[in-house]
């Protein structure tokens, strides 16, 4: 039984197609179905790995080392699944594969065209996970009418034609804007958008309207009539204080029942509402802990989406709330501002912008025994900090920032060349590491072997391990006994740096042990003040 739900968007981007799809996926999962989601991004980049997080949000890394759109993080967190390369597609990647085939002569001299060659490749990828799940939810990025999106829309049209009606459900997410002057919600953009979709040959089964105000019966009827559907298939997605409330909001509008009806499927088990209840309980906690994230991008939360989620999830597990503020590492007033926080996190990053500010923030955390979590570049900065300020290795640095540094405590290692990487020169995806007993990391993970996702080129230089050990730094985990994975500091309540990205593994009901440990100590730290 291969069933598909297609999600397209209209009017404007950023309407939350991913969240809408994931919320419906969650409901179907609670009915007992195996659900997965696939993203199609119409841009020409082969993957988002090279895209600026400031414009595009964080790069999410899958276990098998794909650098993907942050929507895949939403899929993983909502559905508690692991995504892979098969869950992420771009025009760039699709065209590259088709052009490679053409160069090999696989098309036997045919003229290679958008239809059928590109659309065939897109359709092949629509069913990439059909054997692994009951329902594939397919999100088409961008908005209807975009030039780059056309081959994807055309592929959806063909796919509908080639499959049974009851195997496909098509959802169009649009905006119903509120015009304050007229005090009115407007349906015209939705009408135009659906018109555009129809021109391509897709008639949506359901409209999800993003709106700031409730849609009354009159408006729903208007949209329904225009879109050739019954009123109850016009669903309102009103702005919510937490994205995790959306599944329940859809449930109360019977979205799951309507989808199952058209797909001719019956629930596989009794619907379990405990997920809703647990999610709701998260908002009831009153004690709040304040965390400063000191990074390169101070004003774009999406650049650190998974970190934000991980902190919130960890706090909720400890029956607390977290206020996360993003402080620019280049901000001259950083050290003054940082004093107001219960814990400090330095996230990953590339390039030397803000590195010295991050190092100063780490000195402050170390000296004042403020809980500190360094992720990837954050861990590398903590090694530099300790080398410079405790081991007296003047101007110690990473060769990423200073090639000629006398003390290259972080560098590209010769040992790395013997380890097969999934992503060329970059260490990408999941790698195992062994934890030493009697370390904070071991206490938190409660395991001697872990597997975490990586995305970096540089590593801690083992030549400096002994010198740094003498000043209190401890390596609590190694990959294959050569590459340091976790560092911690003795005589500090929580000072941990990790070479990997634990933030990609948090789930609303499964906080990551490092984040939970971090927030836990931050809460204790708060009590002391
Ligand atoms: N720029 C560093 C490296 O490549 C850290 C990367 C990261 O933080 N993801 O090693």
């Amino acid at each position: 039984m291969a069933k598909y739900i297609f999600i397209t968007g209209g009017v404007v981007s950023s309407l939350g197609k991913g969240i809408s799809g994931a919320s419906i996926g969650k409901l179907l999962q609670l009915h007992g179905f195996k659900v997965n989601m696939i993203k199609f991004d119409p841009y020409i980049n082969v993957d988002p790995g090279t895209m600026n997080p400031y414009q595009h949000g964080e790069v999410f890394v899958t276990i098998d080392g794909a650098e993907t759109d942050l929507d895949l993080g939403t899929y993983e967190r909502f559905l508690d699944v692991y995504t892979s390369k098969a869950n992420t597609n771009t025009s760039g990647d699709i065209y590259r594969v088709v052009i490679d085939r053409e160069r090999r002569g696989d098309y036997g001299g045919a003229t290679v065209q958008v239809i059928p060659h590109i659309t065939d490749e897109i359709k092949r990828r629509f069913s990439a996970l059909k054997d692994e799940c009951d329902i594939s939810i397919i999100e088409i990025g961008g908005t209807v009418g975009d030039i780059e999106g056309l081959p994807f829309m055309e592929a959806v049209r063909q796919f509908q034609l080639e499959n049974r009606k009851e195997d496909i459900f098509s959802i169009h997410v649009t905006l119903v804007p509120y015009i304050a002057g007229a005090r009115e919600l407007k349906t015209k953009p939705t009408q135009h958008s659906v018109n555009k979709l129809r021109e391509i040959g897709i008639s949506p089964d359901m409209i999800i309207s993003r709106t700031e105000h409730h849609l009354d019966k009159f408006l729903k009827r208007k949209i329904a009539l225009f879109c050739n559907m019954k009123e109850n298939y016009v669903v309102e997605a009103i702005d919510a204080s937490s994205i995790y409330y959306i599944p329940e909001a859809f449930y109360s509008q019977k979205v799951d029942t309507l989808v199952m009806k058209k797909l001719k499927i019956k629930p596989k088990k009794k619907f379990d509402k405990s997920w809703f209840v647990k999610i709701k309980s998260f908002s009831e906690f009153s004690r709040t802990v304040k965390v400063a994230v000191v990074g390169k991008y101070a004003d774009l939360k999406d650049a650190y989406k998974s970190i934000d989620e991980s902190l919130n999830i960890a706090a909720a597990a400890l029956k607390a709330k977290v206020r996360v503020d993003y402080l620019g590492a280049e901000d001259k007033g950083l050290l003054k501002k940082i004093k107001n926080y219960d814990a400090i996190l330095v996230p990953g990053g590339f390039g030397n912008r803000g590195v010295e500010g991050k190092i100063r923030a780490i000195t402050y955390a170390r000296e004042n025994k403020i809980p500190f979590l360094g992720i990837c570049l954050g861990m590398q900065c903590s090694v530099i900090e300790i080398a410079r300020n405790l081991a007296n290795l003047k101007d110690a640095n990473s060769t990423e920032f200073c090639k000629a540094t006398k003390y290259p405590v972080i560098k590209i290692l010769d040992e790395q060349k013997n380890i097969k990487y999934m992503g060329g020169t970059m260490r990408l995806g999941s790698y195992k590491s062994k934890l030493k007993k009697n370390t904070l990391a071991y206490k938190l993970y409660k395991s001697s072997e872990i597997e975490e996702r990586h995305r970096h080129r540089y590593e801690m230089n083992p030549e400096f391990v002994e010198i740094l050990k003498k000043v209190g730094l401890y390596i609590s985990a190694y990959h294959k006994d050569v590459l340091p994975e976790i560092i911690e500091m003795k005589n500090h309540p929580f000072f941990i740096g990790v070479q990997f990205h634990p933030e990609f593994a948090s789930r609303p009901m499964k906080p990551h042990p490092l984040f939970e440990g971090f927030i836990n100590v931050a809460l204790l730290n708060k009590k002391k003040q």
Side-chain angles (χ1 to χ4, degrees):
M1 181 194 72
K3 302 280 178 185
Y4 301 89
I5 299 175
F6 285 96
I7 317 252
T8 55
V11 187
V12 289
S13 58
S14 306
L15 285 180
K17 292 191 292 287
I19 293 165
S20 297
S23 297
I24 294 171
K26 187 78 227 170
L27 294 179
L28 294 168
Q29 212 178 44
L30 295 174
H31 281 296
F33 295 102
K34 249 183 125 184
V35 182
N36 211 328
M37 292 190 68
I38 312 179
K39 177 90 197 263
F40 285 81
D41 274 312
Y43 47 69
I44 309 293
N45 304 60
V46 171
D47 65 44
T50 53
M51 288 164 95
N52 184 349
Y54 200 68
Q55 281 175 19
H56 199 74
E58 81 176 2
V59 173
F60 186 83
V61 181
T62 61
I63 280 179
D64 62 345
E67 296 175 278
T68 77
D69 186 89
L70 53 75
D71 270 324
L72 271 80
T74 305
Y75 305 166
E76 289 208 1
R77 284 186 289 270
F78 264 85
L79 301 177
D80 192 11
V81 292
Y82 291 108
T83 56
S84 72
K85 287 196 169 91
N87 298 70
T88 172
N89 304 275
T90 67
S91 286
D93 181 35
I94 289 161
Y95 273 82
R96 194 167 71 163
V97 165
V98 171
I99 291 169
D100 283 349
R101 271 187 213 137
E102 185 273 333
R103 292 289 84 187
R104 280 199 309 265
D106 293 1
Y107 294 114
T111 307
V112 179
Q113 295 179 297
V114 173
I115 305 170
H117 301 98
I118 296 294
T119 47
D120 278 355
E121 178 59 19
I122 297 173
K123 284 186 289 176
R124 193 183 66 76
R125 293 173 184 224
F126 284 165
S127 27
L129 299 173
K130 76 171 183 346
D131 298 329
E132 285 153 46
C133 59
D134 302 320
I135 304 160
S136 301
I137 302 180
I138 293 161
E139 180 189 348
I140 310 289
T143 35
V144 58
D146 294 347
I147 289 178
E148 307 114 343
L150 273 174
F152 296 93
M153 299 297 178
E154 167 61 15
V156 175
R157 187 193 67 77
Q158 293 175 17
F159 198 80
Q160 282 184 339
L161 191 73
E162 290 159 4
N163 285 278
R164 296 184 308 174
K165 266 203 169 60
E166 67 253 42
D167 290 340
I168 291 171
F169 195 87
S170 166
I171 300 175
H172 193 54
V173 182
T174 72
L175 178 72
V176 177
Y178 180 70
I179 306 298
R183 295 225 203 116
E184 242 188 310
L185 286 165
K186 293 290 187 188
T187 64
K188 191 69 81 191
T190 298
Q191 296 182 26
H192 279 300
S193 174
V194 171
N195 239 350
K196 195 93 210 138
L197 203 61
R198 284 225 200 97
E199 274 171 30
I200 301 166
I202 303 170
S203 288
D205 296 302
M206 177 178 276
I207 297 287
I208 294 183
S209 302
R210 271 302 295 276
T211 170
E212 288 171 48
H213 300 275
H214 286 293
L215 302 181
D216 60 22
K217 236 184 144 36
F218 170 74
L219 276 179
K220 278 197 176 179
R221 191 174 310 145
K222 203 166 158 187
I223 297 174
L225 263 179
F226 195 88
C227 300
N228 201 30
M229 59 184 63
K230 291 204 179 115
E231 262 164 66
N232 52 342
Y233 284 82
V234 178
V235 173
E236 78 176 22
I238 206 152
D239 298 350
S241 55
S242 161
I243 54 171
Y244 297 112
Y245 295 158
I246 311 286
E248 192 173 3
F250 284 179
Y251 181 75
S252 65
Q253 297 177 72
K254 301 199 167 43
V255 171
D256 48 336
T257 315
L258 298 173
V259 171
M260 287 190 291
K261 197 170 149 199
K262 160 106 201 283
L263 292 179
K264 294 198 173 143
I265 48 177
K266 294 231 149 41
K268 285 191 168 177
K269 65 170 194 199
K270 196 174 165 313
F271 193 81
D272 178 10
K273 282 192 187 164
S274 61
W275 196 86
F276 297 162
V277 176
K278 187 113 194 251
I279 286 290
K280 260 205 207 121
S281 73
F282 290 177
S283 65
E284 286 154 16
F285 310 133
S286 58
R287 56 181 188 156
T288 305
V289 71
K290 286 196 289 182
V291 177
V293 174
V294 182
K296 186 153 87 172
Y297 309 104
D299 33 0
L300 189 81
K301 219 170 125 180
D302 269 1
Y304 304 114
K305 177 104 186 128
S306 293
I307 289 183
D308 199 79
E309 287 276 339
S310 295
L311 291 167
N312 278 287
I313 289 169
L318 295 160
K319 301 201 183 317
K321 278 190 184 146
V322 63
R323 187 180 122 190
V324 187
D325 286 341
Y326 296 87
L327 306 183
E330 288 175 312
D331 182 343
K332 290 209 164 52
L334 175 68
L335 283 187
K336 226 171 140 189
K337 286 187 187 158
I338 222 167
K339 295 201 166 83
N340 300 319
Y341 294 88
D342 305 314
I344 296 169
L345 188 151
V346 178
F350 292 82
N352 67 355
R353 238 185 75 193
V355 162
E356 294 305 320
K358 291 175 195 174
I359 292 174
R360 275 193 292 278
I362 296 169
T363 310
Y364 173 79
R366 182 179 54 72
E367 289 178 345
N368 295 283
K369 307 234 183 289
I370 308 294
F372 165 75
L373 180 59
I375 294 179
C376 208
L377 179 64
M379 173 264 200
Q380 297 175 352
C381 287
S382 70
V383 173
I384 298 170
E385 195 280 327
I386 292 158
R388 286 185 191 170
N389 299 328
L390 285 182
N392 289 324
L393 304 176
K394 197 169 170 289
D395 298 328
N397 217 328
S398 160
T399 53
E400 181 179 5
F401 315 126
C402 177
K403 287 230 155 18
T405 176
K406 197 168 161 201
Y407 303 114
V409 288
I410 307 290
K411 70 171 196 173
I412 294 182
L413 303 175
D414 292 337
E415 287 88 337
Q416 276 171 268
K417 291 173 192 140
N418 302 325
I419 293 171
K420 207 175 147 273
Y421 287 163
M422 289 183 260
T425 59
M426 182 100 92
R427 195 170 160 207
L428 270 172
S430 249
Y431 287 85
K432 282 192 178 134
S433 51
K434 285 219 163 66
L435 262 61
K436 295 229 161 74
K437 297 221 164 102
N438 301 320
T439 58
L440 178 56
Y442 180 81
K443 213 175 111 197
L444 296 171
Y445 276 103
K446 298 185 182 68
S447 167
S448 55
E449 192 175 80
I450 57 165
E451 208 168 338
E452 295 275 14
R453 297 178 220 192
H454 289 247
R455 180 175 181 248
H456 58 102
R457 288 194 179 83
Y458 296 81
E459 308 272 353
M460 181 180 171
N461 186 348
E463 284 171 29
F464 290 90
V465 167
E466 280 313 308
I467 305 174
L468 297 178
K469 222 171 159 176
K470 287 197 183 103
V471 294
L473 179 137
Y474 196 76
I475 313 282
S476 34
Y478 276 99
H479 172 65
K480 293 205 166 159
D481 301 327
V482 278
L483 304 179
E485 292 270 18
I486 307 181
I487 64 124
E488 44 190 85
M489 278 303 277
K490 293 216 172 92
N491 306 320
H492 191 288
F494 193 106
F495 190 104
I496 285 197
V498 290
Q499 187 53 85
F500 46 81
H501 289 275
E503 70 270 26
F504 298 138
S506 298
R507 310 281 197 256
M509 305 300 160
K510 289 184 197 158
H512 190 286
L514 286 180
F515 281 94
E516 197 175 345
F518 178 59
I519 296 291
N520 193 24
V521 182
L523 282 163
L524 297 173
N525 186 41
K526 184 184 160 72
K527 271 190 212 149
K528 268 188 263 155
Q529 286 169 357

